[in-house]
Amino acid sequence: GYLTGYLDNDLFGGTDRNYTNGARLSWISESRDLDEVGVVQRGLRGLTGDPESLRLFRAVTGFDDPEAVDYNYGLSLTQLMFTPEDPFSETQPEGQRRYAGWLGLGFSLHAGDDEILNSVEFVLGTTGPRSLAEESQDLIHELRDIDKFRGWDAQVPNETTVDLSFVQKRRADFLPERRLGFRVDGLTEWGVRLGSFRTAAHLGGFFRIGHNLPPDFSDPRLSSTA
């Protein structure tokens, strides 16, 4: 399998405010038979678009050759952190982003062939002090000798969150024949997420160019099913 770490931090851009930090640790298995997949992930199969999925998902997100579909399952741990622009006020600054943290444990199932990848993730999370956002920020600021934010007592309170997301990616080769080891390809993507932490829909795409680029669906962003 694959263990991947992601880090977003606004200090890379010279600021420390608003969406100030995001970290994600994600493990995705190698291809597995469904009977080797965890019980939580197996419960997501009805949304993957494979032959055993709900009819609506087969019609919208199905595969041309169901026999060519491979399955992977995943686990992830994600922490997001939000702070106002003013770090020194001991109360929530009026008109600025709320102090907030979120910590989520994700269970994902991925079904795909050479051209399509459908990813479904169920995420159980928490906001508030239980997210450990204050402790994480204080630790980093202490290590870097940066002033600590003083208003965390006013952060969003503890609340359990439950979310379900679906993302489909389609891959296309722009330079199918490798020239000196270089490959150029692109991915289109759409997805929806429903839950008490985040409800959203998105549509987009990006392209990649690289030397010995693997023919996969690698995603460099800290996104929900990366």
Side-chain angles (χ1 to χ4, degrees):
Y2 303 87
L3 180 67
T4 309
Y6 299 82
L7 178 66
D8 289 341
N9 195 293
D10 59 357
L11 284 174
F12 298 138
T15 63
D16 196 4
R17 62 193 182 194
N18 300 320
Y19 173 45
T20 186
N21 189 72
R24 178 177 173 91
L25 189 65
S26 173
W27 180 81
I28 304 293
S29 75
E30 58 187 2
S31 296
R32 297 289 182 88
D33 294 330
L34 278 174
D35 57 4
E36 299 177 302
V37 171
V39 62
V40 177
Q41 289 91 338
R42 261 201 318 271
L44 302 174
R45 184 181 183 184
L47 307 179
T48 60
D50 77 355
E52 300 299 321
S53 295
L54 301 174
R55 181 178 300 177
L56 175 62
F57 279 82
R58 293 201 308 271
V60 176
T61 67
F63 299 91
D64 293 335
D65 183 6
E67 299 298 325
V69 176
D70 289 323
Y71 297 91
N72 310 76
Y73 72 95
L75 296 169
S76 67
L77 186 67
T78 306
Q79 184 189 62
L80 304 179
M81 186 186 307
F82 305 88
T83 59
E85 296 182 17
D86 179 4
F88 301 117
S89 174
E90 296 186 1
T91 60
Q92 172 66 42
E94 184 176 353
Q96 297 184 28
R97 182 182 278 278
R98 289 288 304 274
Y99 277 95
W102 178 76
L103 183 67
L105 178 64
F107 303 85
S108 59
L109 181 64
H110 309 264
D113 56 20
D114 290 339
E115 297 181 355
I116 300 174
L117 178 67
N118 292 337
S119 300
V120 188
E121 185 176 46
F122 171 77
V123 186
L124 184 64
T126 182
T127 61
R130 292 186 308 213
S131 71
L132 303 178
E134 177 183 6
E135 290 81 359
S136 297
Q137 188 187 56
D138 285 352
L139 174 63
I140 298 301
H141 280 215
E142 185 174 334
L143 292 174
R144 293 175 56 91
D145 195 26
I146 300 173
D147 290 334
K148 296 180 181 179
F149 278 70
R150 299 177 182 174
W152 277 104
D153 287 345
Q155 70 176 298
V156 170
N158 287 325
E159 180 182 345
T160 300
T161 64
V162 178
D163 289 70
L164 184 66
S165 68
F166 173 88
V167 174
Q168 181 180 81
K169 296 177 181 177
R170 290 180 176 265
R171 192 176 69 83
D173 280 315
F174 298 136
L175 190 63
E177 296 182 7
R178 295 192 179 192
R179 302 179 187 276
L180 300 178
F182 280 92
R183 177 192 293 271
V184 181
D185 66 8
L187 299 175
T188 60
E189 174 182 312
W190 66 272
V192 294
R193 178 169 178 152
L194 301 174
S196 53
F197 171 64
R198 177 179 295 162
T199 295
H202 72 275
L203 173 67
F206 57 92
F207 74 92
R208 308 180 305 168
I209 180 171
H211 187 258
N212 290 329
L213 193 69
D216 62 4
F217 297 87
S218 298
D219 187 342
R221 301 164 299 158
L222 197 156
S223 55
S224 58
T225 54

